[in-house]
Amino acid sequence: MRDSIWLGIVTGLLGALAVGAVPLIGLASGVPQQTLSELGPLPVLMAASVLVAAVGNAATSTLVGLGHSKLVMRAGTTGTAAAVVLSLTLVNGIGSFDGFGLLGAGIAMLVSSLISALVAHWGLRRPAVLAGRSLSPGQPHARALIRLAGVGVPLAATVLIKFAVLGVLAIAAARVGTVSAAAHSIAVSLAGLMFTAAVAIGQAIIPLMAPYLKAKDVRGLRAAVRAGVMTALVAVVLLGVALAMLRVPVLSFFTHDPDVRHQLLILLPLLLLVAVTDALQAVCGFGLVAIRNTVPSLFAFAACYGLLALAAAPLSALGGLTALWLALLTANTLLVVAQAGFFFQRSGSLADPLSRSV
């Protein structure tokens, strides 16, 4: 557990550096200085949020492994509730308070990540196996870190690739115009909210798959992933239907600009499809995490999102935001096929030679 916290700190710092470098990347990519100046301290706040979230995720991963999913849900729910309340009050304001705009969004993200991390680390004191033990990171152990890194680093790299490419998409959207940049940012946030349901379900199947992994029960492993896929699909579809039905009041929470809202309404079908495909590939990816084979996910993300990053600028110039989100949908769809195929192949290799021959 202590070594996982150290690994979370290291990967969190790498992610924070990538997020904090977005203004420099944007400047080098030709985004107007006026657009970048509007970001203010947001990249710094988001970078700090990434680091805090990484440390918090080390705690939630430990809780998942120990089978304490309720504590994980408590941490996630508390953080999400804080994010919603703070976003509504700090971004658009309430009453006579006009809000802070982007600065308020950054503060809301950082504070909600901090609350979620604190609740998760508090939850580590609940399991009996950790009772009375010091939870401070202490000194890192190189061999243990290397073993953890064999599974964790490829997984972290996939996340880093994903959010780095999402940063490239944001830059491409900003080059189209201010309205497109704002609409893209809100659409990514909405898709991310639905994606959290898939992440929670994917994490929940990991301890359920542990007995099947120990017994080398390939059918059990695949059945658990299929159940996770169906559960995630139902959850995201229900959230998508709710968003489609309540689109006007929901979008009004994010922006009062009619042009931005109009652009979001055009994007809504693509947004929902992107959220569904992202959820499906995530659950298949967690299946690979459960069998401790995360390198295939890294290869899949590097290929699919690498092509997406290369195509982002030309596509946004040709077809605007719609073309950009069509490309994102295509990349996610390819990821679903790749992640599911890799899990099917790697899980099959776990069976005993005798059972495979039978």
Side-chain angles (χ1 to χ4, degrees):
M1 185 202 72
R2 293 168 183 158
D3 293 317
S4 70
I5 293 176
W6 275 111
L7 191 59
I9 291 172
V10 173
T11 54
L13 285 172
L14 293 174
L17 287 174
V19 174
V22 165
L24 296 177
I25 297 172
L27 191 62
S29 303
V31 177
Q33 180 62 46
Q34 181 180 0
T35 302
L36 294 174
S37 63
E38 291 294 329
L39 293 175
L42 179 64
V44 176
L45 292 170
M46 290 184 66
S49 176
V50 168
L51 177 57
V52 172
V55 177
N57 287 338
T60 57
S61 297
T62 302
L63 290 171
V64 168
L66 294 174
H68 290 271
S69 56
K70 290 184 179 179
L71 295 176
V72 176
M73 184 181 68
R74 185 177 301 169
T77 303
T78 305
T80 302
V84 171
V85 173
L86 291 174
S87 297
L88 293 177
T89 54
L90 295 181
V91 177
N92 292 327
I94 184 171
S96 59
F97 174 58
D98 294 331
F100 296 130
L102 280 178
L103 175 61
I107 295 173
M109 290 181 66
L110 177 55
V111 173
S112 62
S113 296
L114 183 60
I115 290 174
S116 180
L118 288 173
V119 174
H121 278 270
W122 172 82
L124 285 176
R125 302 181 181 276
R126 301 290 298 278
V129 69
L130 297 176
R133 298 178 180 271
S134 174
L135 301 181
S136 61
Q139 294 291 329
H141 301 90
R143 290 184 179 179
L145 282 174
I146 291 172
R147 287 198 303 270
L148 287 172
V151 177
V153 168
L155 180 61
T158 61
V159 178
L160 185 60
I161 290 172
K162 178 176 181 177
F163 284 97
V165 174
L166 288 179
V168 173
L169 296 186
I171 292 170
R175 295 181 67 176
V176 176
T178 305
V179 171
S180 294
H184 175 78
S185 177
I186 295 171
V188 169
S189 298
L190 290 171
L193 288 173
M194 289 185 280
F195 179 69
T196 55
V199 171
I201 293 166
Q203 287 181 328
I205 68 172
I206 293 176
L208 298 178
M209 293 174 66
Y212 300 123
L213 179 63
K214 186 176 181 179
K216 296 184 179 181
D217 183 351
V218 176
R219 288 186 178 180
L221 290 170
R222 293 175 178 175
V225 170
R226 283 196 299 270
V229 165
M230 293 304 300
T231 305
L233 181 61
V234 171
V236 174
V237 167
L238 288 176
L239 290 172
V241 170
L243 174 60
M245 294 178 63
L246 302 173
R247 57 189 178 276
V248 175
V250 170
L251 296 182
S252 298
F253 282 135
F254 287 90
T255 178
H256 298 299
D257 190 314
D259 293 332
V260 176
R261 285 206 299 266
H262 177 69
Q263 184 73 69
L264 284 167
L265 290 174
I266 295 174
L267 275 182
L268 190 58
L270 280 175
L271 188 159
L272 298 179
L273 290 173
V274 165
V276 168
T277 51
D278 207 10
L280 297 181
Q281 69 82 17
V283 175
C284 293
F286 276 110
L288 288 167
V289 173
I291 63 174
R292 302 171 194 151
N293 200 331
T294 54
V295 174
S297 290
L298 175 59
F299 289 154
F301 265 89
C304 297
Y305 269 56
L307 292 174
L308 177 61
L310 292 174
L315 286 174
S316 63
L318 290 173
L321 208 55
T322 300
L324 205 60
W325 276 74
L326 277 171
L328 179 57
L329 174 61
T330 302
N332 282 350
T333 302
L334 292 175
L335 271 176
V336 174
V337 176
Q339 297 268 57
F342 278 130
F343 174 76
F344 185 85
Q345 187 267 328
R346 299 303 169 94
S347 62
S349 67
L350 295 173
D352 291 326
L354 180 61
S355 62
R356 284 205 301 267
S357 61
V358 174

